[in-house]
Amino acid sequence: MIKLCFFARFREKLGVAEESLPLEQPTTVSALMSQLAGRGGAWQEIFDCPRGIMVAINQDMATVDSLIHDGDEVALFPPVTGG
Amino acid sequence: MIKLCFFARFREKLGVAEESLPLEQPTTVSALMSQLAGRGGAWQEIFDCPRGIMVAINQDMATVDSLIHDGDEVALFPPVTGG
Amino acid sequence: MISIQTADFDTGAEIRALQGNSQTGAVVSFTGLVRDMASHGAVTAIELEHYPAMTEKSLQAIIEQAGKRWPILGVRVIHRIGYLAAGEQIVMVAVSSAHRHAAFDAAAFIMDFLKSRAPFWKKEYVDGEGFWVESKSSDEAALERWNQT
Amino acid sequence: MISIQTADFDTGAEIRALQGNSQTGAVVSFTGLVRDMASHGAVTAIELEHYPAMTEKSLQAIIEQAGKRWPILGVRVIHRIGYLAAGEQIVMVAVSSAHRHAAFDAAAFIMDFLKSRAPFWKKEYVDGEGFWVESKSSDEAALERWNQT
């Protein structure tokens, strides 16, 4: 299982802040995004194209090529705007 | 007449903070420095070479080529070290 | 060194706290405020969301990077979360060093990376309606100059 | 906007005063302190001399130059004179602007020109003996970067 977290606009549009997802074997961030986009609706709208999406694995910034392993916390969010 | 002002190390070495000096006609800062160096002693030591000397005419930064006119206030001082 | 909080902060007290070290010759501080204007109208308040598990870790990494580049003596970062009215303080970064250029550069570096790498998101309220703030390409571009020097 | 004074100052109060404008998104402050070490030993105090007729005029000109280069909303410069003990505050520059890079750059610019163009001179006291501080070539070099950008 992995834990998914969504923030800000993504959290609001998807209507979910976090969820658990089974993971059979290590996969890339971009494969995970394709899987999420496959759910259609807002999921497809957000995850169809990886541009403008930031990802963190276990609270460290990652890229679409990063590998996700069982037990990881994967956060997907729009570009940050603090400060 | 012009008014001369000396600050910091110059003031201490020369033993004078300000003095008045007759001015027959407009002259350059470098000519004034030569005249002061001609007094010998600490005057010569300080004004023999214009390097490392800052000059202000009427409280505006000037150069060795700037012209001094009757009534001007000419300040001669070492490089500034405030802040 | 890092605080994430809803409460306001006292920039002057934080600067004074960094002045305790006798080697300190320079303290530079940045304070960010809620501006009352956005492209879509007058902003009455903002709401700041963050990623609690990651926020402090990411700021810590940014401060460590700054510490590798400049001889920093002290750093303080405070970022507020939750609802903030127009004019309120959002963020403060203060850096102390023996010399001024290190303090200036490290403070600017930390702010630039905080703006583009720390997991905070702003929502602006205009006439009671919330708008998520879009990231600015100028913020991403600001990181470039630190790669070149 | 400019104060030359023997009294100490409250950096926090000065920063707060610059936050009053609702367009202000960023305030950057620099505070300079008396360090206790010099090349010739432990500094117990410094003495600051200046050229009273010129000091404010020269700082005013520096601030005007900064105002031509960046969209500044407010500026505050305080420089102390007379005897200052180790650890005391010497100088403060604070700049407010809508955006952070303007505030950072303008504050650094004002400090760089103040250091090399404003008529102040420091004497350091070590074991009761006074030594006039030598100007640093790095301060003159710091002005160069503002010609190139």
Side-chain angles (χ1 to χ4, degrees):
Chain A
M1 298 289 279
I2 59 172
K3 182 180 168 189
L4 297 185
C5 308
F6 307 102
F7 291 98
R9 189 189 349 243
F10 292 2
R11 176 182 53 73
E12 281 190 352
K13 275 200 173 176
L14 301 172
V16 54
E18 48 183 77
E19 65 168 281
S20 290
L21 204 68
L23 186 81
E24 304 268 313
Q25 53 186 33
T27 185
T28 62
V29 169
S30 63
L32 171 67
M33 286 187 192
S34 301
Q35 185 186 337
L36 295 176
R39 294 175 176 179
W43 297 90
Q44 184 172 2
E45 217 173 284
I46 290 172
F47 296 112
D48 221 12
C49 168
R51 276 207 310 156
I53 299 178
M54 293 181 89
V55 58
I57 300 177
N58 300 328
Q59 301 91 44
D60 284 320
M61 286 296 183
T63 71
V64 291
D65 300 321
S66 300
L67 269 186
I68 300 164
H69 298 87
D70 190 42
D72 283 353
E73 176 171 304
V74 181
L76 294 157
F77 44 81
V80 302
T81 56
Chain B
M1 299 288 278
I2 59 171
K3 180 179 169 190
L4 298 185
C5 308
F6 307 103
F7 291 98
R9 190 191 346 244
F10 292 2
R11 176 182 53 72
E12 280 191 353
K13 274 200 173 176
L14 301 171
V16 54
E18 48 182 79
E19 66 168 280
S20 290
L21 203 69
L23 186 80
E24 302 268 313
Q25 54 185 33
T27 183
T28 62
V29 169
S30 64
L32 171 67
M33 285 188 193
S34 300
Q35 184 185 337
L36 296 176
R39 295 174 177 181
W43 297 90
Q44 184 170 1
E45 217 173 286
I46 290 173
F47 295 112
D48 221 11
C49 168
R51 276 207 309 156
I53 299 179
M54 292 180 88
V55 58
I57 300 177
N58 300 328
Q59 303 90 43
D60 284 320
M61 287 295 182
T63 72
V64 291
D65 300 321
S66 300
L67 269 185
I68 301 164
H69 297 88
D70 190 42
D72 283 353
E73 175 171 305
V74 181
L76 295 157
F77 44 81
V80 302
T81 56
Chain C
M1 180 154 48
I2 298 167
S3 301
I4 313 298
Q5 62 191 46
T6 54
D8 198 8
F9 50 82
D10 179 344
T11 306
E14 301 298 339
I15 291 172
R16 266 197 306 282
L18 287 174
Q19 295 183 352
N21 185 323
S22 68
Q23 295 176 276
T24 299
V27 179
V28 169
S29 80
F30 170 89
T31 314
L33 307 160
V34 181
R35 294 168 60 212
D36 67 359
M37 283 302 295
S39 52
H40 40 273
V43 174
T44 53
I46 64 165
E47 186 181 356
L48 264 156
E49 179 171 336
H50 74 131
Y51 178 6
M54 181 176 173
T55 314
E56 192 164 334
K57 190 176 176 181
S58 80
L59 293 173
Q60 188 60 50
I62 292 167
I63 292 170
E64 271 167 32
Q65 285 302 310
K68 282 178 189 164
R69 296 179 67 136
W70 296 282
I72 290 172
L73 292 170
V75 179
R76 186 81 172 98
V77 175
I78 304 175
H79 203 301
R80 293 176 72 190
I81 50 171
Y83 283 89
L84 302 175
E88 283 200 68
Q89 301 189 119
I90 303 170
V91 61
M92 192 210 76
V93 169
V95 175
S96 62
S97 178
H99 301 289
R100 76 185 183 285
H101 287 130
F104 266 116
D105 288 350
F109 175 95
I110 291 169
M111 272 310 301
D112 278 355
F113 279 81
L114 184 156
K115 280 263 182 190
S116 290
R117 293 289 180 269
F120 294 99
W121 299 272
K122 271 197 204 102
K123 190 187 243 182
E124 292 176 332
Y125 285 91
V126 175
D127 290 334
E129 197 182 350
F131 298 86
W132 287 105
V133 172
E134 296 285 335
S135 65
K136 286 183 284 188
S137 59
S138 61
D139 282 333
E140 193 61 32
L143 301 189
E144 286 301 314
R145 64 178 173 139
W146 300 113
N147 290 329
Q148 286 156 9
T149 53
Chain D
M1 180 155 49
I2 298 168
S3 301
I4 313 297
Q5 61 191 47
T6 53
D8 198 7
F9 50 82
D10 180 343
T11 306
E14 302 297 341
I15 292 172
R16 266 196 306 281
L18 288 174
Q19 295 182 352
N21 185 323
S22 68
Q23 294 176 276
T24 299
V27 180
V28 169
S29 79
F30 171 88
T31 314
L33 306 160
V34 182
R35 293 167 62 212
D36 66 359
M37 283 302 295
S39 52
H40 39 273
V43 174
T44 52
I46 65 165
E47 187 182 354
L48 263 156
E49 178 171 336
H50 74 131
Y51 178 7
M54 180 176 174
T55 314
E56 191 163 336
K57 190 176 177 182
S58 79
L59 292 173
Q60 189 61 50
I62 292 167
I63 292 171
E64 272 168 29
Q65 285 303 310
K68 283 179 190 163
R69 296 178 66 134
W70 296 281
I72 289 172
L73 292 169
V75 179
R76 185 81 173 98
V77 175
I78 304 175
H79 203 300
R80 294 176 71 190
I81 50 171
Y83 284 89
L84 302 175
E88 283 199 69
Q89 300 188 120
I90 303 169
V91 61
M92 192 210 74
V93 169
V95 175
S96 62
S97 179
H99 301 289
R100 76 184 184 286
H101 288 129
F104 267 115
D105 288 350
F109 175 95
I110 290 169
M111 271 310 302
D112 278 354
F113 280 81
L114 184 157
K115 280 261 179 189
S116 290
R117 293 289 180 270
F120 293 99
W121 300 272
K122 272 198 202 101
K123 189 187 243 184
E124 292 176 333
Y125 285 91
V126 175
D127 291 335
E129 197 182 349
F131 298 87
W132 287 105
V133 172
E134 296 285 334
S135 66
K136 286 182 286 187
S137 58
S138 61
D139 282 333
E140 194 61 32
L143 301 189
E144 286 301 313
R145 65 179 173 139
W146 301 112
N147 291 329
Q148 287 156 10
T149 53

